[in-house]
Amino acid sequence: MIDIDTLPPLSAFPHVVPVEIRFNDIDILGHVNNTVYFSFYDTGKAWFFNKIVDWDIDWKTVETVIANVECTYLSPLMFGEDIVVGTMCEELHDRSFHILQVLADAKTGVIKSACRSVMVSFDPATQKSAPMPARWRRALERSIADNRLRTSNR
């Protein structure tokens, strides 16, 4: 479970990108449908991965899959709001890593939702988890080290 009392502020997230709320994302009450949040989080993950690696990602090659994802909704996202998704890698293991993300108001930094994903290295041939490729491990280790450096300098 995501502990909302210990969530880092938006400023602690090393990678932040805007997300656009589209007309078809909202429901009859005028707020973003809960299922759309996962699309926003996926966008944040894609840009985060693209930023931390030093190679061109082949998006057609499956190297990781989501083993678990949890989302906490704190307040609704409304059409017309300027929203950003913040992303960081918080844990790294032999075959998996944990990504923490938030959706927040771009102007105030107020967090509206939080998401934690467990990503597992995956071998499509065997359909089983696999040891994490060295290049991914290096990229994720760098991102964690960069994040620790960022937070220690605040």
Side-chain angles (χ1 to χ4, degrees):
M1 181 129 197
I2 297 173
D3 182 356
I4 60 171
D5 295 325
T6 61
L7 270 178
L10 178 63
S11 61
F13 286 79
H15 192 261
V16 177
V17 295
V19 291
E20 184 176 354
I21 298 174
R22 304 164 305 173
F23 177 76
N24 62 319
D25 293 335
I26 60 173
D27 61 19
I28 196 162
L29 299 175
H31 58 70
V32 174
N33 185 287
N34 289 1
T35 61
V36 175
Y37 286 56
F38 294 99
S39 175
F40 294 162
Y41 286 126
D42 285 346
T43 297
K45 278 193 282 288
W47 284 109
F48 172 73
F49 294 149
N50 197 56
K51 181 179 180 180
I52 68 167
V53 303
D54 56 6
W55 66 88
D56 289 332
I57 297 174
D58 179 359
W59 295 106
K60 296 179 214 151
T61 303
V62 177
E63 294 184 294
T64 60
V65 294
I66 296 175
N68 186 33
V69 64
E70 62 180 298
C71 183
T72 299
Y73 304 95
L74 303 172
S75 63
L77 299 177
M78 305 301 287
F79 184 76
E81 288 183 306
D82 289 328
I83 301 298
V84 294
V85 57
T87 304
M88 72 169 67
C89 181
E90 41 172 18
E91 290 183 35
L92 184 57
H93 303 282
D94 291 336
R95 295 173 179 250
S96 66
F97 56 96
H98 297 198
I99 298 288
L100 179 65
Q101 296 179 281
V102 294
L103 289 170
D105 183 289
K107 294 177 183 115
T108 65
V110 171
I111 295 174
K112 302 210 168 225
S113 173
C115 179
R116 180 171 287 120
S117 300
V118 177
M119 308 285 295
V120 175
S121 295
F122 182 75
D123 181 349
T126 64
Q127 294 289 299
K128 295 185 179 188
S129 69
M132 187 176 304
R135 65 184 183 163
W136 275 103
R137 176 167 297 285
R138 284 190 304 272
L140 291 164
E141 285 173 343
R142 276 192 314 266
S143 79
I144 291 172
D146 289 348
N147 190 43
R148 286 186 182 136
L149 182 62
R150 243 175 83 97
T151 56
S152 70
N153 288 334
R154 294 182 338 147

